[in-house]
Amino acid sequence: MEYGPVALWLVVFLGLGVVALPLAARLFRGFPDRGATLSIPLSLTVVGVVAYWVGHLSLDAGLVAGLLVLVGLSALSLRDLDRTDFELGRFVGPVVVFAVAFLFVVAIRAVDPAVHPSGGEKFLDFGLLKSLLRTQALPPEDFWFAGEPVQYYYGGHLLTALLMKVTFTPARYAYNLALAGFFGAVVTAAYGLAGAVAAARGRSAPVAGVLAAFFVGFASNLETPGRAVLLVLPDGLARAVATRLDVELAGLAASPGAFSYWDASRVIPGAINEFPLFAWLNGDLHAHMLSTPFLLLAAACWFAYYRTPEAALRRRRLLVFGAVPPIVGLLTVVNTWSFPTSVGVGWLAMTFADSDPRTLIPRVGDRLPTGGSRVEREALRTGVALVVAAVVLVVGIAWSVPFWLDSASGRAIAFLPDRSPLGALLLVHGAFLALFVPYLLDRGRRLLDTATTQAVLVVVLGLVAVAWLADAAALALLAPLLVVGWLVLVHRHDTGRSPSSTAASDRRPTESDGGVRTDADPLPAVGFETVLIVAGVGVLLLVEFVYIQGNAGPGRLNTVFKTYAQVWMLFAVAAGAVGAWLVDAHRPDATAAREALTGRWRLAGRVLVGLVVVLASVYGAFALTAHFTSTESVSQVDDPTIDALAFVSTTHPEEADAIEWLDARPGQPTIVSVPSCYCNDEEALTDYHWVNAPSSLTGVPTVVGWDHEVGYRGETAYFERVDDVRTIYEGTPAQRARLLDEYDVRYIYVGPNERLAYGDVDFSGLDGVSVEKRWDAVTIYRVNQNQLSA
């Protein structure tokens, strides 16, 4: 086990967080921990944004500039802080949470560390990382489409490459350490944000934080416990329930040792419904995972805005137009799917905050009408918030302009995909719904008058009827939550939450307070947790009717995949705050408006939270037991290690030395090798996923690689190169020479898969091509472009 790199990366992550503490405290001064739990993603954001822009000139210079800007911003932030903002007790919790989460993933990866291509996209992720290490300036060259810039969101891999440069860590170790670091960052961010949201409503920040960390770091959907329940029921009853819920009865092994962790991520037909524990167990260093800390960072900025009173206009503008757009820009490059969600949360936050969003728009906002009726006022507020959100979106895109010009690939919008069945929705979202439904019912009972309640019931019944006629189970299950959540947020002012309420102290927060509410303010009946619930439910409903077409999978597979990962994060934070309310855990200094649950309701709330935690833990217990005891994995190791390439010499020893030799070549010399696609006549390759190993494990670009490039380049461009590669291996000398020159090929790779695809390959009679290195199973030819051209 490589304990040195593990300790080094843990120290570097925590060190970056320490450097960013003053900046975090300036942005999140109203949080119990002064933003310490968000300091690591905040530091990575500053370094990443600066390095991305400067990196188009020089990546090394971008790293230095990013670190200098981070130090400078933190130094400037110190002017607005005092000693109370740096009390040692505020930082113990964040450090412990991060360290535990970091070491948890290190332990998971240490017994199965490989970037083996089966069961995921590790070749894509590792290849991106290696290509970034080979480039001097951004964007990196596409290692599966030589000569062209990568058309993929690579921001998270860029951050990993920067960390590698800081720590001088080889990619074979950095891959798994980056997985651990990003996991630690998102778990810690969820812990801090949920705690802050709960504390703002007089609830216990530690209880809410621990629950949110559990939902992000260990919890699963209800697929595994659901199948377990069906298996203990009588056969006839179990089959009847499974048929009614439209779920498969088989799939849960009798013992943890034979358990498959995969099933729980494929509950919704034709889609992928991952959750964090599955994703990190699977071990891809993938964009939808790397973006999660920054999505929660953006949500935290919106919560800071949500808590800032109208009088603190400068602070609110700083958050909306200063802090959020760079985060949105980074999210665009890390995972383009996430940036609309981050702005959508902001739209809801501006809509439902006490402060009027019109004040954010200089001079224009004052000219807008105030609205007569309550409906008109709320509609105007919603519309203005939408306009401001659109401005934030545009500014965020401006922060990532180079990505849109050289690395983004277009997709078409499609409508009315196959619907999600009711049973699958309950299994995937049931744990969260079990907490949100009683919470919203109680809030609705307290806040909505009789007439509004009756209107809500009519609307809900109408939605159920429409859902039945349209065969849209999601509409019946989720739309009522959206309606009730929206209405209780609209009625938030009725509870005396406004800073002008007579129930509040005469003292109001000012800029000197950091622009946040103080304990003298009345505790709200609903808070930011409801904003997150509404945001998550809105996304879930949206993807039932709209999706992005792509070649990564049929229908809406990829749309559900990428959006559900974001919804899980929003729901996890909300569940932490709601869970603290259900167990009736108070903040020690909250003495007013506790709205305490009493008697049997307090007991019922605690039992409910305990039951949800137990059910959501079943998958983790089975999956981790199987993970640490299984001997069936092709990449399982006997001695713990974080070496992502240790498996190569075991599973493919005939090519290991050749790949290592190729990896040692400097720069980005183009190679040609067989593409990984089902396009090699009728004879399928024996190891389809391994085909791209020479480029994927080295970052050396090949003429054409995995057929995922169809989704980035289009079928015509991809298969033209596939045909050209065949000609290079099988064509006449003149055809070969022309194409080797056209693609500026430096090395020709001839291994077992090339021989299987193209037969016995011989370049001995071609001028300018000679044997560079030969092994038993692999021959690498060197191409002299000068002689070839002559």
Side-chain angles (χ1 to χ4, degrees), residues 197-203 439 443 523-527 529 581 587 595:
V197 172
R201 297 199 47 228
R203 304 293 161 178
Y439 172 74
R443 299 300 86 187
L523 298 175
V526 290
E529 74 288 335
W581 173 81
R587 196 179 69 201
E595 300 175 356

Side-chain angles (χ1 to χ4, degrees), residues 312-333:
L313 177 60
R314 187 182 68 174
R315 173 177 170 78
R316 289 190 297 114
R317 284 179 178 167
L318 170 66
L319 288 165
V320 173
F321 301 115
V324 173
I327 302 173
V328 172
L330 182 67
L331 273 171
T332 301
V333 185

Side-chain angles (χ1 to χ4, degrees), residues 765-787:
L766 186 60
D767 291 339
V769 178
S770 59
V771 174
E772 177 73 10
K773 195 76 173 177
R774 191 188 299 274
W775 297 265
D776 291 340
V778 179
T779 300
I780 294 181
Y781 294 88
R782 180 181 182 85
V783 180
N784 187 318
Q785 286 290 327
N786 294 327
Q787 294 181 14

Side-chain angles (χ1 to χ4, degrees), residues 38 73 88 141-142 236 358 375 389 446 454 498 505 555 612 642 666:
L38 297 155
L73 289 176
L88 182 62
E141 185 176 351
D142 193 333
R358 292 182 302 171
V375 173
R446 292 175 182 268
Q454 292 173 346
S498 172
S505 167
V612 168
I642 54 171

